[in-house]
Amino acid sequence: MLRILTFVLPLALWVWAFIDCLTTPEEEVKHLPKVVWVIIVLLFPLVGSIAWLVAGKQRGALQPHPAGRTAGYPEYERPRGGRPLAPDDDPEFLASLKKDNKRHEDMLKQWEADLRRREEELRGKDEPEDGRKS
């Protein structure tokens, strides 16, 4: 079991570091160009993976995106705390839910009124012309 772990753990670290290196935006790569980091991680699996984790990528709080938004969250502004707001805490999102809810209620009332009107038209067609109900 210990032999398997000594092989699987470094392999998993290497695969994770390689994928992380490939998917990291160029702006977040430190010290060397991204291509050099990829080559280092590929050629020196254990040492390269550890070097990538320690010195290759900006870690910690989210870094500001050039457009003034949080990287990876284009629809949310970056709040003071450095994290995107949860939908439950975002007043704009809650207001949009209320607005959508009102719009859906109005649509439902309109459909109900249309349904009532159509039912009355159908009842009028079913009645005999002399006005007696059967």
Side-chain angles (χ1 to χ4, degrees):
M1 180 71 175
L2 190 57
R3 287 185 208 170
I4 294 173
L5 287 179
T6 58
F7 175 74
V8 172
L9 287 178
L11 179 66
L13 174 67
W14 177 65
V15 169
W16 181 81
F18 180 67
I19 291 172
D20 188 44
C21 187
L22 286 177
T23 58
T24 299
E26 188 74 38
E27 308 87 49
E28 294 181 17
V29 177
K30 296 187 327 184
H31 304 297
L32 296 171
K34 182 177 177 177
V35 176
V36 175
W37 276 114
V38 170
I39 292 170
I40 289 172
V41 171
L42 274 177
L43 294 180
F44 308 103
L46 187 60
V47 175
S49 299
I50 293 171
W52 168 253
L53 292 174
V54 172
K57 181 179 179 181
Q58 292 177 350
R59 307 246 185 237
L62 293 174
Q63 302 299 322
H65 196 266
R69 304 228 178 214
T70 304
Y73 299 95
E75 66 273 5
Y76 294 111
E77 289 291 335
R78 183 184 172 114
R80 287 180 228 159
R83 298 178 314 189
L85 283 176
D88 294 354
D89 298 332
D90 188 358
E92 292 177 21
F93 178 75
L94 295 174
S96 72
L97 286 180
K98 289 179 183 177
K99 182 175 133 185
D100 286 346
N101 192 22
K102 175 71 172 142
R103 192 180 85 233
H104 290 140
E105 286 179 5
D106 292 342
M107 189 184 310
L108 182 61
K109 287 177 185 176
Q110 188 179 22
W111 288 351
E112 288 174 344
D114 188 46
L115 181 62
R116 276 191 226 104
R117 181 186 53 82
R118 288 181 183 191
E119 285 177 347
E120 289 174 7
E121 286 177 5
L122 287 174
R123 283 189 195 124
K125 289 181 183 177
D126 288 345
E127 292 180 4
E129 291 186 23
D130 62 358
R132 290 185 277 159
K133 293 191 177 187
S134 35

